[in-house]
Amino acid sequence: MKQTGGGEDAKRRAGESAAEIPDDGDVVGLGTGSTAAHAIRALGDRVDAGLDIRGVPTSFQSRELAREVGIPLTDLDEAIPDVAIDGADEVAADGALVKGGGAAHAREKLVDSAAERFVVVADPSKESERLSHPVPVELLPDARAPVADAVRAAGGEPELRAAERKDGPVVTDNGNLVLDCAFGEIDDPDALARTLSTVTGVVEHGLFVGLVDEVHVGRDDDVDVTSY
């Protein structure tokens, strides 16, 4: 069952808590989404106060915010992150995640999995005993029909994600489409992740299994930190 409560104050507490982790000289993966944005802003404050870090952004959004707050940027060709700080759409009790609400999960997984330490920031509404949130699947535009058929064969119901302020579908930073795939309660996220990864035309899915090292959940007046 999902938890309730939190809001922007809880997101801010979680983001600011994780932003205290990087040390001088670190390379930091910069996640995407509203809670990760709080971490990026807090890191910008630390950079302004003298912290020497470089950021690896996971999306156009996180790159622009990092530039705005003065975080020097690099990429995976130049450096591997010491720590990645990112949000999630759902966090299970075992640390498995669903990500991709911002359609950036392909690059998020690339950066988060490359990092020496992957830290998730969240508010209580993202916590759940088991994953049940629809799984975003980024796919090549020409593969829409066969990927949707494969999702149905795996027990899911795919829905093409529509853009909110223009006609047509959401297009990712990579120029691809996104199917939001409802599987209900996911009994075995690892098995489903393997199944989706084998589908031709799938660029990346939003199941993050076995990647998380730490979760910071903002509460009303503190932050709960869980290590995995």
Side-chain angles (χ1 to χ4, degrees):
M1 180 178 294
K2 283 188 175 295
Q3 304 296 313
T4 59
E8 284 304 313
D9 285 345
K11 292 179 181 182
R12 177 181 53 77
R13 290 187 188 94
E16 290 176 351
S17 173
E20 290 299 315
I21 293 172
D23 294 320
D24 273 332
D26 280 354
V27 175
V28 184
L30 305 176
T32 300
S34 57
T35 311
H38 284 293
I40 294 172
R41 293 188 187 97
L43 285 169
D45 290 340
R46 294 192 64 199
V47 168
D48 189 55
L51 179 68
D52 177 22
I53 61 170
R54 290 176 293 159
V56 178
T58 58
S59 64
F60 178 85
Q61 178 194 53
S62 60
R63 181 169 61 251
E64 291 302 293
L65 179 57
R67 286 173 172 164
E68 179 184 320
V69 300
I71 299 174
L73 298 180
T74 186
D75 57 37
L76 293 180
D77 287 338
E78 298 296 330
I80 297 300
D82 297 281
V83 59
I85 301 172
D86 210 344
D89 297 309
E90 188 173 41
V91 182
D94 62 0
L97 312 175
V98 173
K99 290 178 53 56
H105 51 286
R107 183 162 175 80
E108 287 174 327
K109 189 175 287 187
L110 180 64
V111 173
D112 296 344
S113 63
E116 295 293 330
R117 182 180 178 187
F118 175 27
V119 177
V120 171
V121 290
D123 67 84
S125 70
K126 304 300 175 63
E127 294 183 292
S128 185
E129 187 64 28
R130 304 171 87 173
L131 297 181
S132 60
H133 192 282
V135 178
V137 174
E138 181 173 344
L139 63 147
L140 299 174
D142 289 345
R144 176 184 172 186
V147 170
D149 287 344
V151 168
R152 294 187 187 97
E157 185 55 45
E159 180 178 348
L160 183 66
R161 188 180 299 182
E164 294 185 358
R165 297 187 181 181
K166 74 174 186 68
D167 293 335
V170 164
V171 177
T172 71
D173 287 357
N174 306 314
N176 298 314
L177 304 179
V178 175
L179 292 175
D180 290 311
C181 305
F183 290 93
E185 191 169 271
I186 300 172
D187 294 326
D188 191 342
D190 187 49
L192 180 57
R194 292 195 301 270
T195 296
L196 294 175
S197 292
T198 64
V199 177
T200 301
V202 169
V203 175
E204 191 53 84
H205 58 76
L207 288 169
F208 285 49
V209 182
L211 294 178
V212 176
D213 294 298
E214 207 166 283
V215 176
H216 292 226
V217 178
R219 305 292 182 189
D220 288 338
D221 55 8
D222 61 1
V223 177
D224 285 343
V225 178
T226 303
S227 297
Y228 293 92

